[in-house]
């Protein structure tokens, strides 16, 4: 699926199915751009979850062209859209130019709808430059970045980032830089992956940087 919704229990469903089950109320619209990722997190659904064919986020036909994504977005019942989230099974910034184009499309066509990016925050390392400025101009309302751990070693053990130990500091620098262009920057950890003490240390890191910490629910199925 390219454009999809998330139902109760974390089930990935198509928009028509979401509308059938819940004909009223605003919902988050998710956009899945790529299978590629710079990490291989030990707790990631990519590594753990067997998905039914009808609800799989794996893009079997390759990465969708921008025009295809725009066509699917154009068919969205926008009166029921609370936000558009660029997320999916891969890392959205792996397709940075396409991501920026689509964020602009949403804001140009539906300026009142909130936009969110869920990212591992390693785009600077992937492109060899500070990419935060690409998000200038009010195209992104929320940037949610996976903090995952309170130190480099623990972070690398969990994420198995292809960039090694330098990934942790790069992710934190990205978060700090994004505050210049995005109204809300959030760092996240996963419960049941990290214990109370580790989460406390992560909270301290966020407090020092003036960034909110969100503890994400763990999905094990």
């Amino acid at each position: 699926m390219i454009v999809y919704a998330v139902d109760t229990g974390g089930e990935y469903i198509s928009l028509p199915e979401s509308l059938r089950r819940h004909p009223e109320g605003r919902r988050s619209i998710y956009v899945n751009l790529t299978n590629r990722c710079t990490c291989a997190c030990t707790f990631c659904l990519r590594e753990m979850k067997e998905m039914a064919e009808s609800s799989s986020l794996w893009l079997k036909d390759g990465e969708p062209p921008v025009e295809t994504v725009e066509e699917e977005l154009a068919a969205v019942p926008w009166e029921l859209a609370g936000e558009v989230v660029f997320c999916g099974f891969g890392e959205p910034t792996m397709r940075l130019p396409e991501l920026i184009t689509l964020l602009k499309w949403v804001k140009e066509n539906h300026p009142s709808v909130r936009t969110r990016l869920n990212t591992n925050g390693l785009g600077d390392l992937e492109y060899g430059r500070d990419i935060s400025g690409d998000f200038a101009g009010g195209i992104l309302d929320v940037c949610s970045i996976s903090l995952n751990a309170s130190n480099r070693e623990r972070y690398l053990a969990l994420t198995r980032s292809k960039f090694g130990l330098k990934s942790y500091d790069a992710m934190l620098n990205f978060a700090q830089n994004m505050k210049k262009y995005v109204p809300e920057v959030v760092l996240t950890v996963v419960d049941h992956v990290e214990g109370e003490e580790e989460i406390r240390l992560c909270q301290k890191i966020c407090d020092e940087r003036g960034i909110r910490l969100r503890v994400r629910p763990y999905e094990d199925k």
Side-chain angles (χ1 to χ4, degrees):
M1 287 187 288
I2 299 170
V3 175
Y4 65 102
V6 178
D7 201 31
T8 306
E11 180 187 2
Y12 306 128
I13 57 176
S14 67
L15 285 180
E17 178 63 15
S18 178
L19 292 170
R20 187 187 69 79
R21 297 183 189 182
H22 312 285
E24 298 180 353
R26 291 185 177 271
R27 68 209 68 208
S28 297
I29 308 298
Y30 291 82
V31 181
N32 182 26
L33 292 180
T34 183
N35 296 326
R36 293 180 289 152
C37 189
T38 49
C39 293
C41 297
T42 57
F43 54 86
C44 180
L45 297 184
R46 290 165 59 101
E47 305 293 320
M48 302 165 54
K49 188 172 184 177
E50 294 271 336
M51 304 184 75
E53 185 74 19
S54 62
S55 62
S56 176
L57 296 184
W58 192 261
L59 298 167
K60 294 189 301 181
D61 297 325
E63 297 177 337
V66 166
E67 295 77 15
T68 299
V69 183
E70 289 177 348
E71 287 175 6
E72 292 208 14
L73 285 174
V76 164
W78 286 95
E79 69 278 6
L80 298 179
E83 65 175 348
V84 176
V85 186
F86 290 84
C87 185
F89 240 16
E91 166 53 43
T93 60
M94 297 295 287
R95 299 188 69 193
L96 184 61
E98 293 85 355
L99 171 62
I100 299 301
T101 297
L102 290 165
L103 284 168
K104 290 178 179 177
W105 186 95
V106 173
K107 284 301 184 183
E108 287 169 1
N109 290 277
H110 305 280
S112 65
V113 175
R114 189 171 79 154
T115 52
R116 170 159 56 103
L117 168 65
N118 290 356
T119 177
N120 61 24
L122 300 181
D124 290 359
L125 294 178
E126 178 67 19
Y127 293 96
R129 64 178 180 85
D130 175 5
I131 67 169
S132 62
D134 292 34
F135 296 92
I139 61 174
L140 183 62
D141 297 303
V142 183
C143 184
S144 179
I145 304 164
S146 300
L147 173 61
N148 291 319
S150 68
N151 61 77
R152 299 177 186 89
E153 290 76 18
R154 172 69 176 161
Y155 176 89
L156 183 59
L158 285 173
T159 66
R160 298 182 291 194
S161 165
K162 74 176 189 179
F163 299 112
L165 282 174
K166 64 182 179 181
S167 301
Y168 189 71
D169 290 331
M171 173 270 298
L172 288 175
N173 287 336
F174 174 76
Q176 205 68 36
N177 289 335
M178 286 295 278
K179 290 176 65 179
K180 305 171 190 174
Y181 305 104
V182 181
E184 184 178 355
V185 176
V186 182
L187 288 167
T188 69
V189 295
V190 181
D191 66 3
H192 298 295
V193 173
E194 300 296 16
E196 290 185 8
E197 176 61 17
E198 183 67 10
I199 291 176
R200 186 188 68 80
L201 292 172
C202 290
Q203 183 66 67
K204 183 173 183 291
I205 289 170
C206 290
D207 290 344
E208 291 170 349
R209 290 162 173 77
I211 298 174
R212 181 167 69 89
L213 176 69
R214 175 175 174 256
V215 181
R216 291 158 42 208
Y218 172 69
E219 295 183 60
D220 62 354
K221 62 182 180 178

